[in-house]
Every structure is written in C-alpha cells, then in structure tokens.
Amino acid sequence: AHVARRYPGAGVARANLVALPVRDGSVDAVVSLQVIEHLWEQERFLRECFRVLRPGGALMLSTPNRLTFSPGRDTPLNPFHTRELSAAELAGIVRDAGFADVEVHGLHHGPRLRELDARHGGSLVDAQVAVALEGSAWPAALKADVASVTVADFVLQAAEVDASLDLVAFAASPPPATTPGRG
C-alpha cells in the first residue's frame, strides 16, 4: 500500500520470490536489498532473477557479510536470517545461477560514521540496540546522530571486502549470442 501510494507509476505485486510472476527475459534490472539472507532457497531465487532478466540485464544484490555480521558462526545471530554469506560464497552462488561478470564490493563506514561509532562506545548500532533492550527513551544525542546518517557516510569499494559490513553483488545476464558474420 505504501509503495502504491508513494510511487503510483510502479507496478506492485506480492509474490513468491522463487516463482516470480514475471515473463522470461522481460526486465532490464533486478535489485534486491537485504533479502537473500532471509530465504531458504537462495539459489532458486537467483535462478529466478536470471530467468526474468533480458540478455545483458543487471543484477544488484546486497546482504550482510557473514564474516562481520555473525563472525565465527555457521548459524546467523539474527533469528530471521536462514543463511548469511561471505563475499566468496555470494559470488559463487551468483555465478552458479548463470550470471556473468560477477563482482562483489563491500560497504564500509566512512570517516564520519566511524566518528559517530566512537562517540557511542564503538558502535552506533549497538547503542541503539542497548536502548531498545532497556526499553528506555532514546537519548537526544543518539537520536540526532542516527537521524543524521546519510548515504554519504558509507563507502562502497572492492578492497577489503571481507572486512565490510554488507556485501553488494553486481552481475549481468550474458548478452545475446551473435551469429557469425552478423554481429
């Protein structure tokens, strides 16, 4: 309802992510933000993404980095996550679904966000969780700092992926094959 009101030109559907109600090869891009870690059938979801993309279509997918989100564990800390992935694991299942040109970048805190982390005992997120667990009102400084965070406070880079907070995979469905002498 929110999307339909806010973005009236966008088509909205409630669907099973491993059986998308979309024709084969009918979309230019699939963008999935913080979804795959909640799915039991991650590989099947990626095959569906591949199926609906036009040749040369783009996949952009983000997910928490298992190495930093649930370090040293096979079972995710978040009870709503079925399976978290490392950068290598994510790249592997994206390739196995048929995608080409797979790149995985890491999302890192930029300088201002690192400063906010330090101001709140090492982690702005942990400070929010602590207040929520206490059930107390948010301190004004914490509320203001959280509200001030923007996209500019993060750095997306190919370097140091294993130390990143989140992973962002970029991939393409292979372009159409050309006929010799015609391409």
Side-chain angles (χ1 to χ4, degrees):
H2 164 76
V3 172
R5 276 192 316 273
R6 175 87 178 178
Y7 308 99
V12 179
R14 181 179 293 207
N16 182 341
L17 294 177
V18 298
L20 296 171
V22 179
R23 289 186 328 270
D24 293 1
S26 63
V27 299
D28 293 322
V30 172
V31 178
S32 173
L33 304 174
Q34 306 299 94
V35 171
I36 196 168
E37 66 275 7
H38 297 275
L39 303 178
W40 289 105
E41 297 180 90
Q42 294 174 346
E43 292 85 354
R44 191 168 163 201
F45 167 66
L46 289 168
R47 287 192 304 272
E48 275 296 282
C49 294
F50 185 83
R51 178 186 67 78
V52 302
L53 279 171
R54 288 186 176 108
L59 171 72
M60 292 158 274
L61 180 148
S62 70
T63 188
N65 181 357
R66 179 179 54 79
L67 300 180
T68 58
F69 200 77
S70 297
R73 298 174 53 103
D74 290 330
T75 305
L77 288 171
N78 185 323
F80 300 104
H81 291 181
T82 62
R83 176 178 160 212
E84 294 169 355
L85 303 161
S86 69
E89 292 164 336
L90 179 59
I93 66 171
V94 170
R95 277 189 199 96
D96 289 349
F99 288 94
D101 302 322
V102 177
E103 292 182 22
V104 177
H105 292 217
L107 188 67
H108 299 265
H109 283 187
R112 193 180 88 80
L113 201 45
R114 286 194 303 272
E115 182 181 300
L116 291 176
D117 281 338
R119 187 182 309 163
H120 293 281
S123 170
L124 188 59
V125 171
D126 288 349
Q128 294 171 71
V129 170
V131 170
L133 291 175
E134 292 169 4
S136 59
W138 281 40
L142 176 61
K143 194 172 187 177
D145 285 345
V146 169
S148 75
V149 175
T150 70
V151 69
D153 295 315
F154 296 89
V155 177
L156 184 64
Q157 62 188 31
E160 301 178 25
V161 174
D162 287 343
S164 68
L165 302 169
D166 292 296
L167 305 170
V168 182
F170 301 95
S173 60
T178 58
T179 306
R182 293 182 163 195

